[in-house]
Amino acid sequence: MTVDEKERSLLQNNKKSDKQLFIKVNDVTSQKVGVPGKWDQTSYNASLVDGGQKYIIRIEGVLTLQRVSFEKVFTIELYCNEYGKIYYG
């Protein structure tokens, strides 16, 4: 399955508005890139807003560097345009 196919499986055509909308989040995982240390994701919360055209995803975790741990929280916004293209805000 390609990335586009995975994205489309999370979308649904709304016949009333003739737009593609998000329908659900199955799972959210995260990983660190380009930073030393260890990342452990502890939780996430995905909120569907704007009638299904926007997801706000909050990811929490612990970053450990040289035996010192830091709690981190990130918020990511994903948008779906009327044609089903997903992009980051």
Side-chain angles (χ1 to χ4, degrees), residues 21-82:
L21 303 174
F22 287 115
I23 53 173
K24 66 179 180 173
V25 168
N26 293 327
D27 190 22
V28 174
T29 60
S30 59
Q31 64 184 27
K32 67 173 188 56
V33 176
V35 177
K38 181 182 176 195
W39 169 253
D40 291 308
Q41 179 178 317
T42 56
S43 67
Y44 76 90
N45 181 37
S47 301
L48 186 59
V49 296
D50 291 342
Q53 289 190 285
K54 178 178 172 182
Y55 257 117
I56 299 174
I57 302 174
R58 177 185 165 106
I59 299 170
E60 298 183 18
V62 177
L63 179 63
T64 303
L65 301 167
Q66 298 178 358
R67 296 183 295 205
V68 179
S69 296
F70 305 90
E71 292 183 6
K72 296 290 184 182
V73 177
F74 302 92
T75 301
I76 300 168
E77 294 183 7
L78 299 174
Y79 299 87
C80 171
N81 72 13
E82 61 196 47

